[in-house]
Amino acid sequence: MKYTVITGASSGIGYETALAFAAHGKNLIVTARRREQLEELKSEINHNYPDVDVVIRVTDLSVSSNAYKLYEDLQGFEIETWINNAGFGNFASVAKQDLDKISAMLHLNIESLTILSSLFVRDYSNVEGTQLINVSSGGGYTIVGNAITYCATKFYVSAFTEGLSHELKSQGALMQAKVLAPAATETEFAKLSFDIPEFEYHGTVPKYHTAKEMAGFMLDLYDNDHVVGIVNGLTYEFELRDTLYNYVASTR
């Protein structure tokens, strides 16, 4: 039995992606900090797709050592797709940003993603049909004012994943590495980024997608051989692209 792992599955894009993959008959391992929301997700999937197996793992990946523990805990499962969706943002000037929050963001958005990606590639790069999908952002290709540090983390995600895609192809590996780059999406992202109790997208954000729409884009990327799935920041159309960063192949 094969599984798709989705981190950050307790809400937003991760939650909706789990539902979308379940609708396609994919067994799931869903992880996040909040057990109650994961249990709700499992119950919804069990009700709508009773043949899909759902495994819950509660963990806080802003503590990067937990990435190793999570991966070790999943050694008994055969994994075909790993989706690193967990992450959060921050809106503040560099001089005024909360460095405790920034430290947690760096651990989650960069360190844990890199650890989990590396371990998955190490074990599965030559397994037919495997995919690694890392969730970046439009802010991983364009620097957004007042979100400089967040964008920097997502520039890392984009560059790391695109570079990994080049590396896997140069090695003749069977795994595909892909990056999803959403723009504004109706999730908990904004209220966590601004550290406010609630945020209403309707009437506040001129253009945005729902988390369910973004999960559909995730499936489009999964079903395609392109490396990058990105929302055009002007038209808000979803585009499947080849790698966007310049790449120089190693001579060694």
Side-chain angles (χ1 to χ4, degrees):
M1 187 179 290
K2 297 180 179 180
Y3 288 82
T4 294
V5 177
I6 304 172
T7 71
S10 61
S11 66
I13 296 172
Y15 192 102
E16 293 294 340
T17 295
L19 292 175
F21 274 69
H24 283 68
K26 301 294 186 181
N27 299 307
L28 299 168
I29 300 171
V30 293
T31 82
R33 294 176 295 115
R34 298 175 293 183
R35 179 179 292 277
E36 183 177 349
Q37 284 86 342
L38 292 177
E39 294 287 359
E40 290 176 4
L41 172 60
K42 180 175 181 175
S43 177
E44 185 172 353
I45 292 172
N46 287 343
H47 175 74
N48 292 308
Y49 314 106
D51 293 335
V52 171
D53 188 35
V54 181
V55 176
I56 288 174
R57 289 293 184 268
V58 178
T59 187
D60 181 0
L61 292 174
S62 68
V63 179
S64 50
S65 61
N66 286 343
Y68 290 101
K69 294 176 184 176
L70 172 64
Y71 194 83
E72 179 66 27
D73 186 44
L74 300 182
Q75 287 299 289
F77 296 91
E78 183 180 0
I79 300 168
E80 64 175 351
T81 304
W82 191 293
I83 300 174
N84 282 313
N85 167 74
F88 66 85
N90 186 70
F91 290 114
S93 69
V94 172
K96 295 181 179 180
Q97 61 189 4
D98 178 343
L99 290 180
D100 287 336
K101 181 181 179 184
I102 294 301
S103 179
M105 185 175 72
L106 294 171
H107 288 312
L108 178 59
N109 292 12
I110 294 177
E111 289 185 23
S112 286
L113 178 140
T114 305
I115 291 165
L116 293 169
S117 296
S118 301
L119 293 171
F120 184 57
V121 170
R122 186 176 299 173
D123 288 344
Y124 286 91
S125 62
N126 286 309
V127 178
E128 182 72 43
T130 53
Q131 291 195 36
L132 170 71
I133 303 177
N134 288 330
V135 177
S136 178
S137 167
Y141 292 94
T142 301
I143 299 172
V144 179
N146 227 34
I148 292 170
T149 307
Y150 167 70
C151 288
T153 70
K154 292 303 188 177
F155 265 73
Y156 175 88
V157 173
S158 297
F160 172 76
T161 311
E162 287 195 17
L164 175 58
S165 176
H166 284 294
E167 180 176 284
L168 291 170
K169 289 175 181 176
S170 71
Q171 295 171 346
L174 299 176
M175 177 184 289
Q176 292 178 294
K178 302 176 179 179
V179 54
L180 181 74
T185 307
E186 189 179 23
T187 66
E188 295 179 346
F189 177 84
K191 71 177 186 179
L192 295 174
S193 298
F194 286 112
D195 294 314
I196 56 178
E198 294 297 333
F199 182 90
E200 179 59 51
Y201 279 77
H202 182 70
T204 304
V205 180
K207 293 182 179 180
Y208 63 90
H209 290 107
T210 65
K212 186 173 183 178
E213 287 174 323
M214 194 55 59
F217 298 154
M218 178 84 79
L219 269 177
D220 290 344
L221 178 62
Y222 174 82
D223 287 332
N224 201 280
D225 287 332
H226 287 287
V227 176
V228 178
I230 187 169
V231 173
N232 185 303
L234 297 177
T235 66
Y236 265 61
E237 294 295 319
F238 182 67
E239 301 173 356
L240 291 166
R241 307 279 295 276
D242 293 322
T243 53
L244 299 176
Y245 284 125
N246 291 330
Y247 178 77
V248 179
S250 172
T251 58
R252 300 181 60 184

